Amino acid sequence: MYTNVIHKMNYQNIKEIIGLLEQFETDHAADESYPNDIGGFKKWVCDTENRKGGTILDEPYWEGKENGRSAESAISTLLVHLNRYAKTYSKSAISDSEFTTQEDFIYLINLKAFGEMTKMELIKKNIHDKPVGMLIITRLLKQGWITQAESEIDKRNRIISISEKGLDVLDRQMKKIREATDIITGDLSYTEKMELIRILNKLDHFHRPIFSRNIENKELIKTVYQEHSFKKQIH
Protein backbone atom coordinates (compact mmCIF):
# COMPACT_ATOMS: atom_id res chain seq x y z
CA MET A 1 0.00 0.00 0.00
CA TYR A 2 2.71 2.44 1.03
CA THR A 3 4.68 1.68 -2.16
CA ASN A 4 1.69 2.69 -4.30
CA VAL A 5 1.31 5.93 -2.35
CA ILE A 6 4.99 6.79 -2.79
CA HIS A 7 4.77 6.10 -6.55
CA LYS A 8 1.87 8.54 -6.81
CA MET A 9 3.73 11.27 -4.92
CA ASN A 10 5.68 13.74 -6.99
CA TYR A 11 9.04 15.29 -6.16
CA GLN A 12 7.42 18.44 -4.70
CA ASN A 13 5.37 16.36 -2.23
CA ILE A 14 8.49 14.57 -1.03
CA LYS A 15 10.33 17.88 -0.63
CA GLU A 16 7.48 19.25 1.49
CA ILE A 17 7.47 16.16 3.72
CA ILE A 18 11.24 16.37 4.20
CA GLY A 19 10.88 20.07 5.02
CA LEU A 20 8.22 19.30 7.62
CA LEU A 21 10.43 16.61 9.18
CA GLU A 22 13.33 19.04 9.41
CA GLN A 23 11.11 21.69 11.03
CA PHE A 24 9.74 19.09 13.46
CA GLU A 25 13.28 18.12 14.51
CA THR A 26 14.15 21.80 15.04
CA ASP A 27 11.01 22.44 17.10
CA HIS A 28 11.50 19.22 19.08
CA ALA A 29 15.04 20.27 20.05
CA ALA A 30 13.64 23.48 21.58
CA ASP A 31 10.40 22.08 22.95
CA GLU A 32 9.97 18.39 23.80
CA SER A 33 6.17 18.61 24.01
CA TYR A 34 5.80 16.05 21.22
CA PRO A 35 7.34 12.55 21.29
CA ASN A 36 10.22 12.18 18.85
CA ASP A 37 8.46 9.51 16.79
CA ILE A 38 5.89 9.20 13.99
CA GLY A 39 3.02 9.74 16.42
CA GLY A 40 4.58 12.94 17.73
CA PHE A 41 5.26 14.11 14.18
CA LYS A 42 1.64 13.59 13.12
CA LYS A 43 0.37 15.44 16.21
CA TRP A 44 2.81 18.30 15.53
CA VAL A 45 1.66 18.59 11.90
CA CYS A 46 -2.00 18.65 12.98
CA ASP A 47 -1.41 21.30 15.66
CA THR A 48 0.73 23.39 13.31
CA GLU A 49 -1.99 23.45 10.67
CA ASN A 50 -4.60 24.37 13.28
CA ARG A 51 -2.47 27.27 14.49
CA LYS A 52 -1.93 28.52 10.95
CA GLY A 53 -5.65 28.49 10.31
CA GLY A 54 -6.49 30.08 13.64
CA THR A 55 -8.61 27.06 14.48
CA ILE A 56 -9.85 26.45 18.01
CA LEU A 57 -10.53 22.75 18.56
CA ASP A 58 -13.31 21.99 21.04
CA GLU A 59 -12.67 25.01 23.25
CA PRO A 60 -14.13 24.00 26.63
CA TYR A 61 -16.26 25.99 29.02
CA TRP A 62 -14.75 27.19 32.29
CA GLU A 63 -16.35 28.95 35.22
CA GLY A 64 -16.55 32.69 34.63
CA LYS A 65 -15.75 32.46 30.92
CA GLU A 66 -18.91 34.34 29.96
CA ASN A 67 -17.78 37.21 32.18
CA GLY A 68 -14.36 37.49 30.57
CA ARG A 69 -12.38 35.24 32.89
CA SER A 70 -9.16 34.19 31.15
CA ALA A 71 -8.07 30.64 30.37
CA GLU A 72 -4.90 31.30 32.40
CA SER A 73 -6.97 32.14 35.48
CA ALA A 74 -9.08 28.99 35.08
CA ILE A 75 -5.99 26.77 34.65
CA SER A 76 -4.30 28.25 37.71
CA THR A 77 -7.38 27.72 39.88
CA LEU A 78 -7.94 24.18 38.64
CA LEU A 79 -4.31 23.25 39.39
CA VAL A 80 -4.73 24.56 42.95
CA HIS A 81 -7.96 22.59 43.36
CA LEU A 82 -6.40 19.38 42.03
CA ASN A 83 -3.45 19.77 44.39
CA ARG A 84 -5.87 20.02 47.31
CA TYR A 85 -7.82 16.97 46.17
CA ALA A 86 -4.56 15.00 45.85
CA LYS A 87 -3.46 16.03 49.35
CA THR A 88 -6.80 14.90 50.78
CA TYR A 89 -6.45 11.41 49.26
CA SER A 90 -2.81 11.23 50.36
CA LYS A 91 -3.80 12.03 53.95
CA SER A 92 -6.35 9.24 53.82
CA ALA A 93 -3.72 6.83 52.49
CA ILE A 94 -1.48 7.40 55.54
CA SER A 95 -4.20 7.89 58.16
CA ASP A 96 -3.49 4.56 59.85
CA SER A 97 0.27 4.54 59.33
CA GLU A 98 3.44 5.78 61.00
CA PHE A 99 3.80 8.57 58.44
CA THR A 100 3.23 12.13 59.67
CA THR A 101 2.83 13.84 56.28
CA GLN A 102 2.62 12.86 52.63
CA GLU A 103 6.11 14.33 52.14
CA ASP A 104 7.49 11.54 54.35
CA PHE A 105 6.45 8.75 52.00
CA ILE A 106 7.15 10.82 48.85
CA TYR A 107 10.77 11.27 49.94
CA LEU A 108 11.04 7.53 50.60
CA ILE A 109 9.45 6.67 47.25
CA ASN A 110 11.98 8.88 45.46
CA LEU A 111 14.89 7.24 47.27
CA LYS A 112 13.53 3.78 46.48
CA ALA A 113 12.95 4.63 42.82
CA PHE A 114 16.07 6.68 42.05
CA GLY A 115 18.58 5.37 44.58
CA GLU A 116 20.86 7.25 46.94
CA MET A 117 21.48 10.96 46.45
CA THR A 118 22.69 14.03 48.31
CA LYS A 119 20.38 15.91 50.64
CA MET A 120 20.04 18.81 48.21
CA GLU A 121 19.35 16.49 45.28
CA LEU A 122 16.53 14.89 47.26
CA ILE A 123 15.13 18.26 48.30
CA LYS A 124 15.23 19.64 44.75
CA LYS A 125 13.60 16.52 43.34
CA ASN A 126 10.64 17.21 45.63
CA ILE A 127 10.53 20.94 44.74
CA HIS A 128 11.06 22.11 48.32
CA ASP A 129 12.97 25.00 49.82
CA LYS A 130 16.07 23.91 51.72
CA PRO A 131 14.69 24.62 55.26
CA VAL A 132 11.51 22.62 54.60
CA GLY A 133 13.41 19.76 52.99
CA MET A 134 15.95 19.57 55.82
CA LEU A 135 13.14 19.27 58.38
CA ILE A 136 11.67 16.33 56.48
CA ILE A 137 15.06 14.62 56.15
CA THR A 138 15.75 15.15 59.87
CA ARG A 139 12.39 13.57 60.71
CA LEU A 140 13.10 10.57 58.46
CA LEU A 141 16.54 10.12 60.03
CA LYS A 142 15.05 10.13 63.53
CA GLN A 143 12.59 7.44 62.48
CA GLY A 144 15.45 5.35 61.08
CA TRP A 145 13.78 5.24 57.66
CA ILE A 146 16.81 6.69 55.88
CA THR A 147 20.57 6.62 56.46
CA GLN A 148 23.26 9.11 55.61
CA ALA A 149 26.96 8.77 54.88
CA GLU A 150 29.79 11.01 53.72
CA SER A 151 30.12 11.44 49.98
CA GLU A 152 33.27 9.89 48.54
CA ILE A 153 33.39 12.73 46.00
CA ASP A 154 32.80 15.68 48.33
CA LYS A 155 33.17 15.14 52.10
CA ARG A 156 30.97 18.18 52.75
CA ASN A 157 27.96 16.38 51.28
CA ARG A 158 25.90 13.67 52.92
CA ILE A 159 24.52 10.85 50.78
CA ILE A 160 21.01 9.79 51.74
CA SER A 161 19.58 6.33 51.11
CA ILE A 162 16.48 4.46 52.20
CA SER A 163 17.01 1.95 55.01
CA GLU A 164 15.52 -1.53 55.42
CA LYS A 165 13.19 -0.08 58.02
CA GLY A 166 12.15 2.61 55.55
CA LEU A 167 11.50 0.04 52.84
CA ASP A 168 9.39 -1.96 55.26
CA VAL A 169 7.21 0.94 56.41
CA LEU A 170 6.78 2.07 52.81
CA ASP A 171 5.85 -1.39 51.52
CA ARG A 172 3.19 -1.77 54.23
CA GLN A 173 1.47 1.38 52.99
CA MET A 174 2.00 1.10 49.23
CA LYS A 175 -1.35 -0.57 48.52
CA LYS A 176 -3.26 2.43 49.87
CA ILE A 177 -0.87 4.88 48.25
CA ARG A 178 -1.43 3.23 44.85
CA GLU A 179 -5.17 3.29 45.41
CA ALA A 180 -4.96 7.02 46.17
CA THR A 181 -3.04 7.70 42.95
CA ASP A 182 -5.61 5.68 40.98
CA ILE A 183 -8.42 7.80 42.42
CA ILE A 184 -6.59 11.08 41.70
CA THR A 185 -6.55 10.36 37.95
CA GLY A 186 -10.32 9.87 38.14
CA ASP A 187 -12.13 8.59 35.05
CA LEU A 188 -9.55 9.77 32.51
CA SER A 189 -9.01 7.40 29.59
CA TYR A 190 -5.52 6.10 28.77
CA THR A 191 -5.26 8.61 25.89
CA GLU A 192 -6.30 11.49 28.18
CA LYS A 193 -3.74 10.44 30.78
CA MET A 194 -0.97 10.44 28.16
CA GLU A 195 -2.01 13.88 26.91
CA LEU A 196 -2.18 15.21 30.47
CA ILE A 197 1.33 13.90 31.19
CA ARG A 198 2.59 15.65 28.04
CA ILE A 199 1.03 18.97 29.06
CA LEU A 200 2.12 18.76 32.71
CA ASN A 201 5.66 17.81 31.65
CA LYS A 202 5.75 20.89 29.45
CA LEU A 203 4.69 23.08 32.38
CA ASP A 204 7.20 21.36 34.68
CA HIS A 205 10.04 21.91 32.19
CA PHE A 206 9.12 25.60 32.11
CA HIS A 207 8.87 26.17 35.86
CA ARG A 208 11.61 23.90 37.26
CA PRO A 209 14.59 26.01 36.04
CA ILE A 210 12.92 29.15 37.41
CA PHE A 211 12.35 27.52 40.79
CA SER A 212 15.97 26.34 40.90
CA ARG A 213 17.22 29.93 40.66
CA ASN A 214 15.75 30.83 44.06
CA ILE A 215 14.65 34.28 42.92
CA GLU A 216 13.47 36.51 45.78
CA ASN A 217 9.69 36.56 46.19
CA LYS A 218 9.37 40.28 45.57
CA GLU A 219 11.26 39.98 42.27
CA LEU A 220 9.92 36.63 41.06
CA ILE A 221 6.88 37.66 38.99
CA LYS A 222 8.56 40.73 37.54
CA THR A 223 11.67 38.76 36.54
CA VAL A 224 9.83 35.84 34.93
CA TYR A 225 7.30 38.06 33.17
CA GLN A 226 10.04 40.21 31.62
CA GLU A 227 12.29 37.32 30.64
CA HIS A 228 9.55 35.39 28.86
CA SER A 229 7.63 38.35 27.43
CA PHE A 230 4.20 36.92 28.19
CA LYS A 231 1.52 37.90 25.72
CA LYS A 232 -2.12 36.95 25.68
CA GLN A 233 -2.93 34.56 22.86
CA ILE A 234 -5.34 36.01 20.36
CA HIS A 235 -7.59 33.49 18.66
Side-chain angles (χ1 to χ4, degrees):
M1 185 181 80
Y2 295 110
T3 303
N4 292 335
V5 171
I6 291 172
H7 285 164
K8 292 178 182 179
M9 293 172 61
N10 58 36
Y11 178 67
Q12 185 60 37
N13 294 147
I14 295 172
K15 277 185 66 177
E16 289 178 5
I17 292 172
I18 292 173
L20 283 170
L21 284 168
E22 290 175 344
Q23 186 59 49
F24 172 66
E25 288 183 356
T26 300
D27 287 1
H28 184 270
D31 178 4
E32 298 181 355
S33 299
Y34 300 92
N36 193 20
D37 55 23
I38 189 64
F41 174 65
K42 290 192 291 185
K43 182 76 166 60
W44 174 84
V45 170
C46 180
D47 289 349
T48 300
E49 290 303 309
N50 287 330
R51 284 193 292 269
K52 285 180 180 178
T55 304
I56 300 175
L57 295 178
D58 299 325
E59 183 174 281
Y61 171 80
W62 58 83
E63 188 175 9
K65 182 178 182 180
E66 67 278 10
N67 297 320
R69 187 186 186 197
S70 69
E72 292 80 4
S73 173
I75 291 169
S76 180
T77 298
L78 288 170
L79 287 173
V80 170
H81 288 178
L82 288 169
N83 180 54
R84 289 174 181 164
Y85 301 148
K87 283 186 174 180
T88 300
Y89 291 121
S90 293
K91 287 179 181 178
S92 177
I94 62 173
S95 59
D96 58 349
S97 73
E98 299 176 59
F99 292 118
T100 305
T101 68
Q102 65 173 354
E103 281 77 16
D104 291 350
F105 72 77
I106 290 174
Y107 271 52
L108 294 182
I109 287 173
N110 277 318
L111 287 171
K112 181 180 179 180
F114 300 105
E116 63 181 25
M117 61 187 80
T118 66
K119 289 182 179 180
M120 285 310 302
E121 286 171 341
L122 182 57
I123 291 169
K124 288 179 180 179
K125 186 169 285 293
N126 289 279
I127 317 297
H128 277 140
D129 294 325
K130 183 177 179 180
V132 174
M134 291 303 290
L135 284 173
I136 297 168
I137 290 173
T138 299
R139 185 163 64 244
L140 296 178
L141 284 168
K142 286 182 178 179
Q143 291 283 2
W145 295 340
I146 61 174
T147 60
Q148 63 177 344
E150 282 189 356
S151 169
E152 295 181 1
I153 300 173
D154 187 345
K155 299 298 182 182
R156 294 170 298 178
N157 285 332
R158 293 290 184 272
I159 302 298
I160 302 296
S161 58
I162 188 169
S163 66
E164 287 298 325
K165 187 177 179 181
L167 286 170
D168 182 61
V169 72
L170 185 60
D171 287 343
R172 290 202 304 268
Q173 213 62 28
M174 278 309 298
K175 182 177 182 293
K176 279 197 170 183
I177 292 171
R178 291 192 185 98
E179 289 173 346
T181 58
D182 287 343
I183 293 171
I184 289 166
T185 54
D187 57 356
L188 294 180
S189 67
Y190 174 81
T191 301
E192 288 170 332
K193 289 175 185 177
M194 296 304 103
E195 181 65 9
L196 182 58
I197 289 172
R198 185 189 70 79
I199 293 171
L200 293 176
N201 270 334
K202 184 173 182 179
L203 279 173
D204 186 64
H205 291 160
F206 175 84
H207 290 291
R208 189 177 290 266
I210 296 170
F211 180 84
S212 299
R213 290 164 60 187
N214 296 315
I215 303 171
E216 290 187 20
N217 282 335
K218 63 180 180 180
E219 298 294 330
L220 180 60
I221 292 177
K222 178 182 176 182
T223 300
V224 177
Y225 218 88
Q226 289 178 345
E227 289 180 356
H228 293 275
S229 302
F230 281 100
K231 295 178 181 178
K232 299 288 185 183
Q233 292 182 358
I234 299 175
H235 297 296

